[in-house]
């Protein structure tokens, strides 16, 4: 059945056509019919993802002026700019679903839409920049590579480029940490301290345990998510343990041990009460992050006004030339 035949057949046919697209692992595109729940889930997840990229610029941007060398400053600047680009691709993907990005930003600053819990923690020293690249971008890659196969075309395609850039981000973080670990005792202590602070929040990035995740089952049935939160968390732990060994840092979990029967590492339980507090706006930096975003939106209003006035003037000129 073609899409045109499905439209002619009414809502039931449209649903059957959509189900077949998902069953055959094909992509749903913006002009295709889709159930309201599918559209709503995508808007929720992609908007949260876009907000995370934009809010995620703040903890790292905090160190651009204090980077210890021109090289480190240039790398950090490029990384933070990449995050802005990721936010833009993702807001564009939400717009293909019929929402307005201005409205999404309103929802973010009014606390009606979420962003990743991880960005509510402070960056206290320059080793945090390395550890964010290593652990936070490392977790982001594990979570996002499967999203390149998401059933919604524009999101899947945006994720391909995002993942390539995240991979550079992860390597730059690891390289920074390797450099610090071959430096002074003080530098090694900074890396260990940053690892201790960022490890558990990084595990929380994958979301609540599967038993407490209201969205996973339906999102997997729709091919939006390809793995559960716990599956990806396990993959991240297994990938990171040997990297920590090479680096010479200790991951702050006494329960971490190789389990030969499972063929995976066992690990401890993150503090899910802390996770809930952060999600409810009560993490160490929630208020500061949202306030900064609100202020940036207000500060940039004149730029958007000027761009709109310029575009209107150009359109007038083109209309004049066409007459
Ligand atoms: N933080 O049913 P669940 C980056 C929410 S950007 C905050 O499992 P789902 C980077 C969840 O939204 C990283 N909220 O949900 C950027 C849901 O709330 P609502 C961002 C979380 O959607 C700059 C509720 O809890 N990555 O890497 O099936 C620099 C129940 O959860 C979190 C993405 O956004 C959390 N950690 O699964 C460096 C990736 N976890 O809306 C790096 C795309 C859960 O029902 N998103 N919640 O009220 C996803 O893959 C999925 O949305 C999640 C959650 C795995 C995050």
């Amino acid at each position: 059945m073609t899409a045109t035949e499905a439209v002619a057949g009414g809502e039931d046919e449209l649903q059957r056509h959509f189900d077949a697209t998902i069953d055959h692992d094909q992509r749903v595109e913006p002009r295709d019919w889709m159930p309201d729940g599918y559209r709503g889930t995508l808007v929720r997840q992609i908007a949260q993802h876009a907000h995370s990229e934009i809010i995620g610029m703040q903890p790292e941007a905090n160190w651009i002026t204090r980077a210890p060398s021109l090289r480190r400053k240039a790398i950090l600047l490029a990384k933070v700019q990449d995050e802005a680009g990721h936010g833009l691709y993702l807001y564009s993907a939400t717009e293909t679903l019929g929402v307005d990005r201005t409205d999404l930003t309103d929802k973010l600053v009014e606390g009606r839409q979420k962003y990743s819990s991880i960005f509510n923690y402070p960056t206290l020293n320059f080793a945090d920049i390395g550890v964010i690249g290593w652990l936070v971008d490392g977790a982001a890659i594990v979570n996002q590579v499967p999203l390149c196969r998401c059933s919604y075309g524009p999101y899947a395609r945006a994720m391909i480029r995002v993942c390539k850039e995240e991979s550079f981000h992860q390597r730059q973080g690891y390289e920074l940490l390797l450099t610090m670990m071959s430096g002074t005792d003080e530098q090694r202590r900074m890396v260990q301290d940053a690892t201790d602070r960022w490890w558990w929040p990084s595990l929380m990035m994958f979301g609540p345990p599967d038993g407490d995740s209201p969205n996973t089952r339906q999102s997997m049935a729709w091919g939006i998510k390809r793995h559960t939160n716990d599956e990806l968390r396990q993959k991240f732990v297994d990938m990171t343990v040997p990297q920590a060994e090479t680096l010479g840092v200790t991951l702050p979990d006494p329960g971490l041990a190789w389990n030969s029967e499972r063929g995976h590492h066992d690990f401890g339980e993150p503090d899910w009460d802390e996770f809930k507090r952060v999600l409810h706006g009560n993490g160490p930096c929630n208020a500061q992050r949202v306030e900064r975003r609100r202020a940036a939106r207000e500060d940039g209003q004149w730029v958007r006004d000027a761009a709109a006035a310029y575009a209107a003037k150009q359109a007038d000129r083109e209309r004049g030339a066409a007459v």
Side-chain angles (χ1 to χ4, degrees):
M1 181 174 54
T2 66
T4 319
E5 283 162 354
V7 172
E11 184 105 346
D12 286 352
E13 284 304 321
L14 289 166
Q15 179 73 51
R16 267 195 285 281
H17 183 70
F18 172 83
D19 292 344
T21 305
I22 300 292
D23 289 347
H24 294 125
D25 209 10
Q26 289 166 340
R27 297 281 168 274
V28 177
E29 295 297 339
R31 288 188 195 149
D32 294 343
W33 181 90
M34 58 188 89
D36 289 344
Y38 179 81
R39 187 185 297 275
T41 297
L42 283 167
V43 171
R44 179 184 66 76
Q45 176 166 327
I46 308 174
Q48 173 177 314
H49 195 165
H51 296 328
S52 305
E53 299 283 355
I54 298 299
I55 295 274
M57 294 165 74
Q58 293 184 36
E60 293 183 280
N62 187 30
W63 282 91
I64 292 172
T65 54
R66 291 175 287 162
S69 68
L70 184 59
R71 176 168 176 265
R72 294 292 171 197
K73 195 189 285 278
I75 293 172
L76 187 53
L77 201 55
K79 179 179 190 290
V80 173
Q81 283 178 341
D82 283 354
E83 312 299 359
H86 298 174
L88 294 181
Y89 313 149
L90 290 164
Y91 283 127
S92 299
T94 59
E95 286 184 323
T96 67
L97 291 158
V99 296
D100 181 326
R101 78 172 75 175
T102 314
D103 185 42
L104 299 181
T105 306
D106 286 346
K107 288 191 169 124
L108 169 67
V109 297
E110 288 161 12
R112 288 189 287 137
Q113 268 177 351
K114 296 186 170 81
Y115 58 91
S116 181
S117 50
I118 192 76
F119 302 116
N120 292 307
Y121 292 86
T123 38
L124 302 181
N125 72 51
F126 198 70
D128 288 36
I129 298 303
V131 168
I132 287 178
W134 173 39
L135 297 181
V136 175
D137 288 282
I141 293 168
V142 170
N143 169 262
Q144 291 172 18
V145 165
L147 294 175
C148 299
R149 293 187 291 111
C150 166
S151 58
Y152 187 59
Y155 191 27
R157 290 189 285 277
M159 291 318 298
I160 293 171
R161 177 152 177 188
V162 170
C163 286
K164 283 189 178 146
E165 292 178 352
E166 298 291 15
S167 162
F168 154 73
H169 296 170
Q170 204 257 359
R171 282 162 197 224
Q172 70 79 34
Y174 199 70
E175 189 265 348
L176 165 53
L177 297 179
L178 278 174
T179 307
M180 288 187 78
M181 289 304 284
S182 57
T184 63
D185 285 347
E186 178 60 17
Q187 286 175 311
R188 279 188 282 277
R189 269 196 297 275
M190 285 165 72
V191 175
Q192 184 61 58
D193 169 56
T195 305
D196 291 346
R197 284 181 289 107
W198 289 92
W199 173 248
W200 293 107
S202 299
L203 293 188
M204 295 174 194
M205 285 176 72
F206 295 94
D210 292 350
D212 297 330
S213 165
N215 301 301
T216 294
R217 224 167 75 96
Q218 182 60 68
S219 285
M220 287 184 66
W222 276 328
I224 295 173
K225 282 168 83 163
R226 296 290 179 170
H227 303 280
T228 72
N229 299 353
D230 286 335
E231 283 166 5
L232 293 175
R233 198 171 359 256
Q234 178 73 64
K235 192 171 170 59
F236 173 69
V237 171
D238 290 339
M239 180 186 99
T240 308
V241 168
Q243 295 172 352
E245 278 163 15
T246 306
L247 208 49
V249 294
T250 308
L251 296 173
D253 179 358
L256 194 59
W258 177 250
N259 181 328
S260 52
E261 260 171 49
R262 290 201 310 122
H264 292 290
H265 293 86
D266 291 335
F267 57 100
E269 202 62 44
D271 180 346
W272 295 115
D273 289 335
E274 175 183 319
F275 177 69
K276 283 182 200 144
R277 277 197 302 279
V278 174
L279 253 58
H280 288 127
N282 300 318
C285 300
N286 294 60
Q288 177 189 334
R289 299 289 185 241
V290 173
E291 174 49 28
R292 181 77 201 92
R293 181 69 194 90
R294 197 194 53 72
R297 187 180 56 154
E298 273 173 26
D299 291 348
Q301 187 58 45
W302 71 272
V303 179
R304 291 190 294 281
D305 290 345
Y310 180 75
K313 205 154 98 183
Q314 290 295 101
D316 275 352
R317 282 211 186 117
E318 274 163 32
R319 263 196 300 275
V323 174

